[in-house]
Each structure stands twice: as structure tokens, then as C-alpha cells.
Amino acid sequence: MLDKNGIARRIAREVRDGYYVNLGIGIPTLVANFVRDDIQVEFQSENGVLGMGPFPYEGEEDPDLINAGKQTITTLPGASFFDSATSFAMIRGQHVDLTILGAMEVAENGDIANWKIPGKMVKGMGGAMDLVASAENIIVAMMHTNKAGESKLLNKCSLPLTGVACVRKIVTNMAVLEVSPDGFLLRERAPGVTVEDIKKATEGRLVVPSDVPEMQF
Amino acid sequence: MTWKGSISDTGDFVTWGEDPKRLADMIRKTVANAKEALEGVADGMTLMLGGFGLCGIPENAIAELVRLGVTDLTCISNNAGVDDFGLGLLLQKKQIRKMISSYVGENDEFERQMLSGELEVELTPQGTLAEKCRAAQAGIPAFYTPAGYGTEVAQGKETREFNGKMYVMEEAYKADFAFVKAWKGDEAGNLVFKGTARNFNPCMCGAAKITVAEVEELVPAGSLDPNQIHIPGIFVRRIFKGMRYEKRIEQRTVRQR
């Protein structure tokens, strides 16, 4: 079973040379820590920066320089700033190669819910609806089950949707899965996790090929 | 608008006709302070406010709105500040009737007022919010976006297929005032932004009937390089030098040396 860093480490392997990548808040933000040094990647933050660098050293924080999670950041050589309309032109216009975001629920047809629990939690969708409606390449990073132990990979989402039939790939603490016409296609197992464990933790239709290899990092 | 002014032999701008005040106002944009800049703001108005989180928010305009005590406001702003800063200050005083935002997660008072029904809230995808401002600025009444298709955001809205994909029609905002914050500005209303404090501010310039820009540094016309202007002065009606910027950081994150 992986922890949050493990999920981020596995997703980092999906990042290719020359990619522009948008990272959501939470586990997705950790992905930047595990991307190989020998490839060129630019991180976009939808509040208006391309070429995001690591957090600043103490004493060098700039209130005019934050990411979409409102955290202080730095920029790397080649970075640029732009307004919000231009930022979403990059996203909607499909100029961003890879979008990694968190989710509360994913359905077997690729529907995603991550912005609202009616009557309880309403934080808003931020840029998530624009991202999932436009991106060609979306990876969801999340735990396989919620705090109550219930599956987050469902036949159908129970929460209000963020986007329809848009998720392609899901990396959880237990598995790597792809959305296929027949349901969640099990691609990889996390170290120490069996196919039986994954079956038990998955409510949606699960397609299990004859060979499900353990994740490589 | 018909042309009602001309340049005299001495180079002065001369106006005549029934509305000389407005033209004079357009030419002389600099006002002394937030009080003068917010002249005309009244109860029940719709306001646009720039900023992302607490980054690049019009701190002086917000403080003046609190002082004025105007109520029943509709505020278009990506976020709603935090409990004790930014738009949170207006929420505390119950001056806002309706908020139009994309993300309100950092404000407990906001969430409380929303869930209890005291505050009307229209949650809008962030890119749609930006484009609804930009469309107003650009004189485009509506546009199609894929964001929110198949979700509750699209309920009651026209949808349409283009090239095999479904889109939702979204309309431009109509606002009375836009309050933006820039780093530098000149007396001609030209603006330059800094870092990610740019965010929604440029999209809101010229997107309301009256755009008020507050800047950290106000310089004479001619001091800024025309090549480096982010927003041309034509989109700005009033400009003033803001005071005592607090620039609060929401999430101070650092790494070890």
C-alpha cells in the first residue's frame, strides 16, 4: 500500500519530456518533487504562472508570487506571468499536456466529482471544471477508499459532478487503473497489494487482465 | 458616443456639448484617494474585485467599501477573502447579498452564511468567471465553453454541439464598478502588474461601467515604457495611489536551506 508520496512518485513516471503540466492541490502538488531531473517540464498554475519552481527559502517569500493553492512559490528561468483569462486559454485551448488532480469520487465511465458535498462542504470548483472539460490527458490522484473505508471508484458518482466521462487514468494507494468501455481496467498493483484486495476495495466494474504487474518506480 | 471634443491650438483638450463632465473625467483620471475613487458607489450595486486569494486584491477599495457601509452588494470575485481580511471584511458586516466566485474554501464565515442561506452564492468555474469578465471588457455578450457541461453549473443554460463536443453558453457580466489593483500605474491610467498579483485584475479592467485602479506606485504619464504596459489606460476611468498595503500571505510555504 502506498502513502501520498508513493502515489505522487508513481504519477511522476507519467510526466514526459517537454510537457506542460497543471498540478491540482494536495497529492498532485507532490508530483513535482519526483519528476526526473533529466527531462524538461514546465508546471502551470492556473492563477497565472508558467515555469513554477520550488518553495522559497525562508525570508524570501513574496506575497505577489503564489500558486493556485495560495502557497508562496518561486519561478524558474523561462517563467512567465499572465492574467486569468490567458491562463484558461492555455487550459481550454488544450495547450497544457497533462492535468493531475484529486477527486472524491470517480465513476467507471470517467465521471469525476470533487467540488461539493451538498449541505456539508461547499468549497467550490475553482479551475477543476475548466480543466477536466478541456484536458486530453487527465490523471486522478487519490486514495482508493474514503475515511469510512468505502470505495471511491464507483459505478456512478453520488456527489455533484465536476465533469463527465473525462478521466483516463487513476493512480491510488492500491492500484493504477485506466477507464475503459468495460469499466476500470486494472493495470498495476501497489507493492504488497493483491488483486483480491483491489477487487474488494472497488465498487465499480473492474476488468482484471491475466497479468497485473506490481508498480515500478 | 459622438465626438464632443478637440485639441486646441495650444494643445489643450477642449470639450463642449451636453456631457463635458464625462470627457473631462476620462482625461483627468487621477484622484486623490479611495474616497474620491469610490464616488457613486451605492447600495445594491454589482462590483467586480480583482485578486486571487489575498494576492493582488484592491485592499484600499475594500477598506473604503467597509467605511461607506454600502449594503445589498453583488460581488464578482474569484474568492471571498479570509475571515478577517479581503472580502471577508464585507461579509462580516453583512454588506454582501450575493457572491459570484469559483472557490470559497478559505473562509469559514462565508461557508456558514452560504449553508445557512443568508448569502446567495453563484459558484462559477474559474476559467468561465475570467472569460465572463473578459467578454464584458471586449463587448462580447456571450460565449460557449465546455466547462461545466453535464454538471449542475449548466442547469438552465443553453448548450450546443460544436465539432462533436458539447458546450455551455455563458453570458458576459454586467457590473457597475470594477476595482482592480496594479503594481504601477501612470496618470493616463496605464497599468503594470507584478507576479501572480496580476490574475483577474486585467480581465476586469473596462468590464464594468466604471473601472477604478489602485496602484502601489503612481507615476507621471510618459514614465512607463509603452512596450511594457499590461493594460492600456483606455480601460481605466479612475486611478489612485493606494496606502499601507498589507499584502497578507495565506499559505507561507518555505524550503530548508
Side-chain angles (χ1 to χ4, degrees):
Chain A
M1 203 95 84
L2 302 175
D3 61 4
K4 288 179 178 182
N5 278 304
I7 296 172
R9 221 171 112 212
R10 173 59 191 82
I11 292 175
R13 284 189 50 222
E14 305 287 321
V15 179
R16 306 258 180 276
D17 194 22
Y19 266 15
Y20 291 103
V21 182
N22 180 288
L23 300 178
I25 296 164
I27 301 173
T29 305
L30 301 171
V31 173
N33 301 333
F34 300 102
V35 174
R36 278 158 46 195
D37 292 336
D38 59 336
I39 62 173
Q40 190 99 31
V41 177
E42 280 204 43
F43 291 105
Q44 196 246 22
S45 198
E46 63 267 25
N47 59 316
V49 54
L50 198 57
M52 203 179 3
F55 295 144
Y57 290 119
E58 198 166 352
E60 293 177 4
E61 310 94 301
D62 178 355
D64 291 328
L65 186 48
I66 62 168
N67 63 17
K70 285 103 180 174
Q71 297 170 312
T72 45
I73 53 159
T74 58
T75 53
L76 297 173
S80 56
F81 299 119
F82 35 86
D83 65 72
S84 301
T86 306
S87 180
F88 283 90
M90 293 174 191
I91 290 165
R92 244 188 269 104
Q94 301 188 333
H95 306 285
V96 175
D97 300 291
L98 175 62
T99 293
I100 303 166
L101 77 173
M104 296 172 186
E105 295 177 347
V106 177
E108 61 193 32
N109 70 339
D111 287 357
I112 176 171
N114 71 353
W115 70 286
K116 183 179 183 181
I117 302 174
K120 271 192 198 161
M121 189 285 295
V122 187
K123 292 194 182 301
M125 67 292 280
M129 283 195 183
D130 309 271
L131 282 157
V132 300
S134 308
E136 294 264 289
N137 194 2
I138 300 172
I139 301 178
V140 165
M142 66 177 192
M143 304 309 267
H144 210 98
T145 54
N146 64 21
K147 280 176 188 147
E150 298 156 344
S151 181
K152 294 171 73 174
L153 294 118
L154 309 172
N155 295 119
K156 199 171 181 296
C157 292
S158 65
L159 296 170
L161 295 183
T162 307
V164 291
C166 52
V167 175
R168 295 267 187 284
K169 191 175 261 189
I170 305 128
V171 179
T172 74
N173 53 328
M174 301 180 82
V176 176
L177 309 106
E178 284 171 17
V179 172
S180 79
D182 302 316
F184 296 111
L185 177 58
L186 182 57
R187 283 295 189 192
E188 297 172 28
R189 299 174 286 115
V193 175
T194 66
V195 170
E196 274 313 303
D197 295 334
I198 297 164
K199 276 185 184 168
K200 269 184 225 155
T202 307
E203 187 216 274
R205 276 188 300 165
L206 189 68
V207 182
V208 184
S210 53
D211 179 41
V212 181
E214 192 174 289
M215 285 181 200
Q216 302 293 312
F217 293 93
Chain B
M1 190 181 81
T2 52
W3 180 246
K4 291 197 176 66
S6 69
I7 305 294
S8 74
D9 296 341
T10 54
D12 294 328
F13 192 82
V14 180
T15 64
W16 67 92
E18 68 266 19
D19 190 15
K21 191 174 176 293
R22 183 167 179 274
L23 278 173
D25 199 24
M26 287 299 278
I27 298 306
R28 193 174 44 74
K29 297 175 191 242
T30 308
V31 293
N33 50 40
K35 186 165 178 274
E36 279 185 30
L38 269 72
E39 203 185 293
V41 174
D43 291 351
M45 280 189 166
T46 297
L47 314 177
M48 289 178 170
L49 299 108
F52 187 99
L54 299 177
C55 184
I57 57 172
E59 293 185 20
N60 283 249
I62 292 170
E64 181 62 15
L65 287 168
V66 172
R67 199 193 64 81
L68 285 170
V70 282
T71 58
D72 202 23
L73 300 172
T74 295
C75 292
I76 301 166
S77 178
N78 188 56
N79 312 90
V82 294
D83 283 327
D84 62 343
F85 200 56
L87 285 179
L89 299 170
L90 292 177
L91 284 167
Q92 269 182 22
K93 300 255 165 127
K94 308 267 171 71
Q95 290 175 261
I96 303 175
R97 180 181 64 80
K98 180 178 179 181
M99 263 316 298
I100 300 175
S101 303
S102 86
Y103 190 82
V104 295
E106 267 72 314
N107 193 318
D108 294 338
E109 175 62 12
F110 184 104
E111 208 164 346
R112 192 197 64 73
Q113 288 188 21
M114 173 167 60
L115 291 173
S116 70
E118 289 167 59
L119 179 72
E120 198 184 327
V121 178
E122 187 176 305
L123 287 167
T124 304
Q126 197 176 130
T128 300
L129 200 153
E131 198 64 16
K132 280 163 80 89
C133 295
R134 203 198 69 88
Q137 174 193 61
I140 293 172
F143 58 91
Y144 289 92
T145 175
Y149 177 76
T151 76
E152 61 182 55
V153 163
Q155 278 169 16
K157 291 174 186 162
E158 183 187 320
T159 57
R160 190 167 158 182
E161 185 184 323
F162 294 95
N163 306 316
K165 187 169 172 163
M166 292 304 293
Y167 294 81
V168 184
M169 192 180 83
E170 294 281 359
E171 292 183 36
Y173 288 127
K174 292 184 185 72
D176 298 293
F177 276 84
F179 297 111
V180 304
K181 151 79 179 28
W183 178 34
K184 291 180 187 176
D186 69 15
E187 290 165 335
N190 297 307
L191 302 178
V192 177
F193 301 90
K194 181 167 168 264
T196 56
R198 190 180 318 190
N199 56 61
F200 283 83
N201 288 297
C203 315
M204 290 176 174
C205 290
K209 286 177 196 153
I210 294 178
T211 297
V212 175
E214 57 179 87
V215 296
E216 288 176 56
E217 218 178 300
L218 183 61
V219 298
S223 312
L224 298 174
D225 179 353
N227 288 303
Q228 307 296 331
I229 303 290
H230 293 140
I231 282 291
I234 193 168
F235 292 118
V236 176
R237 180 77 75 86
R238 300 175 192 167
I239 188 166
F240 70 100
K241 185 183 181 311
M243 309 281 283
R244 294 184 290 274
Y245 280 103
E246 193 176 327
K247 291 197 185 184
R248 212 184 279 186
I249 292 175
E250 266 180 79
Q251 307 282 342
R252 188 178 299 274
T253 44
V254 295
R255 72 185 137 138
Q256 299 306 311
R257 277 176 201 277

